[in-house]
Amino acid sequence: MSPANVHTKPEKHGEVLTAVSDGLVALLKEFYGRGPTRVKSYYEDDLVVCVLRGGFSRVEQTLLDGGRGAAVIDQRMAFQELMRGRFEAVIEDATGRRVIGFMSGNQQDPDMMCEVFMLSPTDLVGEHEVPVRSRS
């Protein structure tokens, strides 16, 4: 096998996964005052998924303990939508590919956040469907 045919995906792939995990944890820590305590990222083809555990603020934990979990989930979803560009920038910097879809989900028991990113190019979305945008 010639050097040109050697498959080097694992090293690069691992670096991408580390950049995704570290970048999302740092972003959440910056704005929540503490970050998730566990994280695992996946990157395959045109999809990046990051599952994060822990990291509720004291206020959020108090609301959860008081039966107001829906308020915590609503607030986190609003935050993630507001921060969409920053979340996408972490993934684009790590993968070198444009994010064309971002979906987020949260649950309380067990506590998990799931961030899902669709990358371009993909055979699921035509180039004519992807809006043109400028990064500031």
Side-chain angles (χ1 to χ4, degrees), residues 88 92 98-102 118-122 125 130-131 133:
E88 291 175 349
E92 290 176 352
R98 181 171 174 206
V99 172
I100 59 170
F102 170 46
M118 180 61 61
L119 306 177
S120 180
T122 176
V125 178
V130 178
R133 71 166 176 182

Side-chain angles (χ1 to χ4, degrees), residues 44-47 97-101 117-130:
E44 185 65 37
D45 192 24
D46 52 11
L47 187 67
R97 294 172 67 185
R98 181 171 174 206
V99 172
I100 59 170
F117 303 87
M118 180 61 61
L119 306 177
S120 180
T122 176
D123 57 355
L124 292 173
V125 178
E127 285 299 317
H128 68 282
E129 296 177 275
V130 178

